[in-house]
Amino acid sequence: MIKHLFKLIWNKKKQNFLLITEIFISFLVIFGVFTSLVYYYRNYKKPMGLTYNNVWVINFQNNKQFHNTDSVTQYYATLTAMLKNMPQIKTLSYASSNIPFTSSTSTTRLIYKGQEIRPINFYRVGDNYREAFNMNLLEGRWFNHDDVVSSNRPVVINASLKESLFGNGRALGQLIDDSHDDKHVRKIKVIGVVQDVKDKGDYLPSGMAMYNRVDTSDMRYIGKLVIKVSPDADAAFESKLYKAVAGYMKEASVEIEHFSKKRESTNRSTLIPIIIFSIVAAFLIINVSLGIFGVLWYNINRRRGEIGLRRAVGASGGSVSGQLISESLILTTFSLIIGVFFAIQFPLLNVFNMAASTYVMAMFLAVAFIYLLVFLCSLYPGRQAAAIYPAVALHEE
């Protein structure tokens, strides 16, 4: 039976070539959609790594001219003391521009045992930054005031960077080269490890990260102040806070944002491309489905004599329907063999730097989807073929 089906398909290879091509292109598109969906879903299932509710950020662009470092320190110390006197503010921390749920990114590299590790997300944060976001400390400690006199620059790394650098080994106390050339070799010391933080939204990975303590020299360029507020902080308090900060920083433009809203905005921006891609893929699937349905319907009309003869010699309606469905699935198999050959190049070549398991899962889902699609499209034409009466079909011939 299988040999007979292959013979029938080969005899109509020119007619079947277009159908094979349609299914092949559909598989590649569906593979792309499922790859994105699997990738986003796996990232979504991972813990966020921070608490964003009741956390705000004060954005400011300070144009004030400072004469020396002491004046910078005193200026921001006064602002900090003023904000700490507000009972609704539980903790606060200055930070670089790449705070969570923003498009701002800063990366660096590290050299460890002769190997370069990159890209690493690079953050400058204050002593209370972890407390503000309730970040989970896995090992060691966070920054404190004693780190000012440390001989080696202290850093806190996340779990992903620890795995890349040390594997299952010990990270605390390790010294790492932080040099960009061979003439100026600097050392940094790992004092803590935190859980990975998905600071680009629910659907994107955290990546490797390194946190550095904000020092006096950084304050000239800092433009973010992260604050954790009490649950009863309302719009009236936000207005009061804005007036206080804007009144103190007369030379600066001030804006207050909520991280809960920033997260929603970031997630929308992430999902928009995949939604558009999915809509395009849906239209393609509809066209392919109509194409498969039309080709099968056309084949039935052309093969009414063949079908009628088979019925006349005793073939059941189920066997006739099964033959047409089997032919469609064999054509689909040819298309999928070619499609899987191209799809498997993605994990082999590490395209888009995704885990190989993501591509493999997407391939299985795409193959299953295409088989199901072709089966459903061929089911009704197959039933129509099974309903052909032998006498009527032979009479028409």
Side-chain angles (χ1 to χ4, degrees), residues 14 77 168 186 283 301 377 388:
K14 290 184 179 179
N168 295 325
R186 302 169 58 195
F283 279 109
N301 289 329
C377 289
I388 294 177

Side-chain angles (χ1 to χ4, degrees), residues 6-70:
F6 275 101
K7 186 176 181 180
L8 289 175
I9 291 171
W10 177 255
N11 290 336
K12 295 182 291 184
K13 52 184 176 292
K14 290 184 179 179
Q15 300 176 22
N16 293 328
F17 176 76
L18 181 60
L19 184 59
I20 291 175
T21 303
E22 278 188 295
I23 297 175
F24 165 70
I25 295 174
S26 299
F27 169 78
L28 293 182
V29 174
I30 296 302
F31 169 69
V33 172
F34 275 122
T35 298
S36 300
L37 292 177
V38 171
Y39 175 73
Y40 287 149
Y41 177 75
R42 286 187 166 184
N43 290 328
Y44 177 79
K45 294 296 290 183
K46 295 177 181 178
M48 181 65 73
L50 56 77
T51 301
Y52 49 84
N53 291 322
N54 300 320
V55 184
W56 301 354
V57 58
I58 303 174
N59 304 297
F60 58 89
Q61 185 175 355
N62 198 355
N63 298 317
K64 182 177 178 61
Q65 299 296 321
F66 298 100
H67 301 290
N68 51 56
T69 302
D70 291 338

Side-chain angles (χ1 to χ4, degrees), residues 137-196:
L137 188 65
L138 303 178
E139 300 178 33
R141 63 176 180 84
W142 192 256
F143 305 109
N144 58 46
H145 188 70
D146 296 335
D147 292 322
V148 175
V149 296
S150 178
S151 57
N152 296 302
R153 182 162 61 89
V155 297
V156 175
I157 61 177
N158 70 348
S160 293
L161 181 54
K162 178 200 171 184
E163 182 178 355
S164 297
L165 290 171
F166 313 112
N168 295 325
R170 179 179 173 81
L172 299 182
Q174 296 286 350
L175 298 177
I176 310 171
D177 290 338
D178 184 28
S179 58
H180 297 277
D181 56 65
D182 296 331
K183 296 180 181 179
H184 303 89
V185 179
R186 302 169 58 195
K187 294 287 186 180
I188 60 176
K189 182 179 180 180
V190 179
I191 63 170
V193 179
V194 294
Q195 183 181 5
D196 290 354

Side-chain angles (χ1 to χ4, degrees), residues 47-117:
M48 181 65 73
L50 56 77
T51 301
Y52 49 84
N53 291 322
N54 300 320
V55 184
W56 301 354
V57 58
I58 303 174
N59 304 297
F60 58 89
Q61 185 175 355
N62 198 355
N63 298 317
K64 182 177 178 61
Q65 299 296 321
F66 298 100
H67 301 290
N68 51 56
T69 302
D70 291 338
S71 61
V72 176
T73 304
Q74 184 59 42
Y75 180 87
Y76 286 106
T78 302
L79 175 62
T80 301
M82 180 186 70
L83 296 179
K84 284 184 175 180
N85 286 330
M86 295 182 175
Q88 291 88 349
I89 296 180
K90 300 304 180 182
T91 187
L92 59 85
S93 172
Y94 294 95
S96 53
S97 59
N98 55 336
I99 55 175
F101 313 136
T102 62
S103 59
S104 177
T105 302
S106 178
T107 60
T108 186
R109 65 185 178 93
L110 290 177
I111 300 174
Y112 184 69
K113 293 184 178 180
Q115 293 187 347
E116 184 180 77
I117 309 296

